[in-house]
Amino acid sequence: MPTLYHHPMSSASRFVRLILAEYGFQTDLVEEQTWEKRREFLALNPAGTLPVYVDDSMRVLSGANVLLEFLDETHGVLKRERRLLAEDPFQRAEIRRLTEWFLVKMEQDVTRPLTRERVYKLQMTPAQGGGAPDSKVLRTSRANIRQHMKYLSWLAGSRTWLAGERLSYADLAAAASISVMDYLGEIDWQETPIAKEWYQRLKSRPSFRPLLAERIRGITPVSHYADLDF
């Protein structure tokens, strides 16, 4: 069976897990703590980043965008109405733009600094950079959340799905990032009812169930995390 190296609080890893689930793939999951810089993992991906996918033939694919394109070209094109990338070139470009927005822009502004301060530092040794959270980083990241949630609300309020009329990779990328923040209780859903309605639709999909059932050692999720009607 193929293997996916991931971390439960990596938005890029969650994104790929959602794609695989939507397309009906089963994989073995191996949790990787990238700050340990394991020699065996670096041999698979010298960049030391997640996610990393190893297929049945031991071929290695690294990175969310690389995996998106590979899975779409090899399997998505066969899914017809369930394909997560549109047939129209302009729509494909919009899906890719928004996917990058949530996995790169939001990752830099919000997801990566918050998970590092609130999750990864707890699992790191002092030599690896572990320790108490940096309050300045937390304040800046939390201020950025509001701007990203406003944009998400605008998208969800003006379109059936974020990039158009159909569920796409853009929705999965956004939901993967939002789910990490929601686990940590960092989102005030009362401020963003339109985004909340969109997220409820994503949470209700079968592909989301494994993420909602997952727990991070030493960190309890917010009470509504697994609630579909929160």
Side-chain angles (χ1 to χ4, degrees), residues 49-102:
T49 56
L50 295 170
V52 173
Y53 180 82
V54 182
D55 72 6
D56 287 329
S57 300
M58 299 305 293
R59 296 177 300 183
V60 180
L61 293 165
S62 303
N65 284 326
V66 170
L67 280 161
L68 178 163
E69 299 294 343
F70 173 79
L71 292 170
D72 189 76
E73 290 175 5
T74 55
H75 300 284
V77 293
L78 306 176
K79 296 296 182 178
R80 297 185 179 179
E81 71 278 358
R82 290 181 55 214
R83 186 183 183 187
L84 296 168
L85 193 64
E87 289 75 22
D88 177 75
F90 184 84
Q91 283 293 305
R92 288 202 299 271
E94 177 67 353
I95 290 168
R96 290 184 173 109
R97 181 187 75 83
L98 289 175
T99 299
E100 182 175 332
W101 177 277
F102 291 105

Side-chain angles (χ1 to χ4, degrees), residues 167-181:
L167 176 78
S168 73
Y169 294 112
D171 296 282
L172 301 188
S177 299
I178 294 300
S179 68
V180 172
M181 296 297 95

Side-chain angles (χ1 to χ4, degrees), residues 5 32 37-45:
Y5 291 82
E32 186 68 33
K37 299 181 180 179
R38 289 193 310 116
R39 181 177 301 176
E40 295 82 1
F41 178 68
L42 292 175
L44 297 174
N45 180 19

Side-chain angles (χ1 to χ4, degrees), residues 59-154:
R59 296 177 300 183
V60 180
L61 293 165
S62 303
N65 284 326
V66 170
L67 280 161
L68 178 163
E69 299 294 343
F70 173 79
L71 292 170
D72 189 76
E73 290 175 5
T74 55
H75 300 284
V77 293
L78 306 176
K79 296 296 182 178
R80 297 185 179 179
E81 71 278 358
R82 290 181 55 214
R83 186 183 183 187
L84 296 168
L85 193 64
E87 289 75 22
D88 177 75
F90 184 84
Q91 283 293 305
R92 288 202 299 271
E94 177 67 353
I95 290 168
R96 290 184 173 109
R97 181 187 75 83
L98 289 175
T99 299
E100 182 175 332
W101 177 277
F102 291 105
L103 294 184
V104 178
K105 174 65 174 169
M106 187 172 179
E107 181 77 9
Q108 293 172 347
D109 292 348
V110 177
T111 321
R112 184 184 302 158
L114 275 176
T115 51
R116 176 177 173 81
E117 297 302 321
R118 293 199 54 193
V119 180
Y120 300 154
K121 277 189 171 182
L122 298 178
Q123 301 175 354
M124 295 174 174
T125 65
Q128 293 168 336
D134 185 322
S135 59
K136 182 178 179 181
V137 172
L138 293 177
R139 283 195 303 272
T140 301
S141 301
R142 285 166 175 160
N144 289 335
I145 288 178
R146 291 188 173 184
Q147 300 307 313
H148 281 277
M149 293 304 294
K150 286 180 180 178
Y151 185 47
L152 177 59
S153 293
W154 180 83

